């Protein structure tokens, strides 16, 4: 049984977008977090894909450290080859399988 609604109202979508952008703006240099973790922090734990869409389609989001968001396994966004370079410039290490070393670099803020 779900403990959250599956569809957002326009007001909820605006609040979600603002929360996502706020969370991404807080990710420290040299650390990463996941789409799923951001969705959960924003109050919509099943909406990790919407986090990606929010970052891709919100004007001005490119000014945020979006490169610090990866999937739960540490994979970078498909089709964004510069993401790895940006992370490596911040000291983020990758494992031989080309995934971020999540044990070393995962940022998990406290949930309020």
């Amino acid at each position: 049984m779900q403990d959250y609604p599956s569809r957002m109202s326009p007001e909820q979508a605006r609040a979600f977008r603002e929360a996502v952008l706020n969370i991404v703006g807080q990710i420290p240099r040299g650390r990463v977090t996941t789409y799923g973790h951001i969705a959960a922090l924003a109050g919509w734990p099943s909406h990790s894909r919407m986090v990606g869409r929010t970052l891709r389609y919100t004007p001005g989001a490119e000014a945020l450290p979006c490169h610090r968001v990866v999937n739960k396994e540490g994979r970078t966004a498909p089709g964004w080859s510069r993401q790895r370079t940006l992370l490596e410039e911040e000291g983020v290490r990758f494992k031989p399988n080309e995934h971020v070393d999540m044990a070393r670099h995962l940022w998990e803020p406290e949930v309020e």
Side-chain angles (χ1 to χ4, degrees), residues 59-110:
E62 65 276 357
L64 295 171
C66 298
H67 62 284
R68 297 177 187 154
V69 182
V70 297
N71 81 0
K72 65 182 177 182
E73 293 148 2
R75 286 195 318 248
T76 56
W80 187 15
S81 58
R82 181 127 170 81
Q83 184 178 13
R84 179 178 176 139
T85 303
L86 291 168
L87 290 171
E88 287 177 329
E89 287 172 357
E90 294 184 359
V92 173
R93 293 189 183 170
F94 284 75
K95 299 187 297 187
N97 65 1
E98 299 189 7
H99 296 184
V100 170
D101 183 345
M102 298 296 276
R104 179 177 289 201
H105 298 287
L106 181 62
W107 176 71
E108 294 181 291
E110 295 292 322

Side-chain angles (χ1 to χ4, degrees), residues 9-32:
S9 70
E11 296 79 23
Q12 290 170 317
R14 274 191 291 280
F16 180 83
R17 182 177 54 249
E18 289 175 17
V20 167
L21 299 177
N22 181 31
I23 294 162
V24 171
Q26 295 177 48
I27 305 169
R29 182 176 176 81
R31 304 297 294 274
V32 299

